[in-house]
Amino acid sequence: FREAAVRFVPFLSGLGSLLALGLLGWACGIPLSGLAGAFLLAISPWHMRYSVEARGYSSMIFFILLGMLALIAAIRTGRWRWWFGFGACQCAFFLCFAGAIYVVAAQSFFVLIYLFSGKERRWMVSRWLVASALTAIPFLLLMGPSIPQVVEYFQRTDIQRIPMDAGWLGDLWSHVVAGIPWADQTAAGISP
């Protein structure tokens, strides 16, 4: 077992997310903001940490940014390939981390608002809907068997539930800003 082999894909995804963020600024017509965003992401402790861990977080960020690039191209051109690219990226980052359902919901909500806000764009709603439905099929096939296990896990009484109080919020803030939790987990009775 070589640890470097496991960490190689997240590392490439982390580097790719820097490039994708730079391109996103360029696609939005503000190339300087893309470069600034990529620079800030590169020096972010959170991004540095998750870009070398053997988890799906860096790939999730990469596919979110790549999906936003595809979405911009889909809205500008209306072509099927970009709508399918956007849907495929949603499927990919959702497979990387199932907690990204909030990102999928927010993107879908804002896409629908934007498409319905102008009569000249309403015809693209059907393309978005078809592409989203077809690219959801691989997700459902791959994640469907895990859903009963997740439901059973949350119904168990022997798992430790951490209250969402002021300490939890401080821990979350520290994690977002510095990439590490503030609280000493062993003192809280949680084994690392």
Side-chain angles (χ1 to χ4, degrees):
F1 176 75
R2 290 185 48 190
E3 188 177 344
V6 175
R7 294 177 185 260
F8 187 66
V9 171
F11 178 68
L12 287 180
S13 296
L15 291 177
S17 63
L18 299 175
L19 177 64
L21 187 56
L23 289 174
L24 188 60
W26 177 76
C28 290
I30 315 168
L32 219 51
S33 72
L35 288 174
F39 173 75
L40 290 174
L41 191 62
I43 63 171
S44 166
W46 183 81
H47 188 262
M48 283 187 231
R49 175 184 173 188
Y50 286 121
S51 290
V52 293
E53 284 192 359
R55 297 180 177 193
Y57 300 133
S58 65
S59 297
M60 176 193 67
I61 293 170
F62 173 69
F63 285 120
I64 288 172
L65 294 169
L66 200 61
M68 294 305 293
L69 284 168
L71 177 62
I72 290 170
I75 288 172
R76 287 183 180 164
T77 65
R79 293 190 168 189
W80 280 105
R81 66 179 170 200
W82 295 116
W83 285 112
F84 279 112
F86 173 63
C89 286
Q90 279 190 322
C91 176
F93 75 70
F94 203 13
L95 283 171
C96 291
F97 179 56
I101 190 167
Y102 302 109
V103 179
V104 173
Q107 283 180 338
S108 300
F109 177 73
F110 287 114
V111 166
L112 280 176
I113 286 176
Y114 180 76
L115 293 179
F116 277 115
S117 67
K119 289 182 180 180
E120 69 279 357
R121 294 185 292 264
R122 288 188 186 158
W123 64 273
M124 287 191 275
V125 172
S126 60
R127 290 189 181 210
W128 168 78
L129 190 61
V130 168
S132 294
L134 289 177
T135 54
I137 292 171
F139 174 80
L140 294 172
L141 289 173
L142 292 170
M143 289 295 285
S146 300
I147 292 172
Q149 294 172 352
V150 172
V151 170
E152 182 203 345
Y153 175 77
F154 283 119
Q155 291 175 348
R156 289 175 44 186
T157 57
D158 61 332
I159 60 172
Q160 183 177 8
R161 304 199 189 273
I162 300 172
M164 295 177 71
D165 55 6
W168 182 87
L169 287 172
D171 212 25
L172 175 67
W173 176 251
S174 174
H175 191 81
V176 168
V177 172
I180 57 172
W182 179 266
D184 181 11
Q185 293 182 352
T186 54
I190 304 169
S191 59

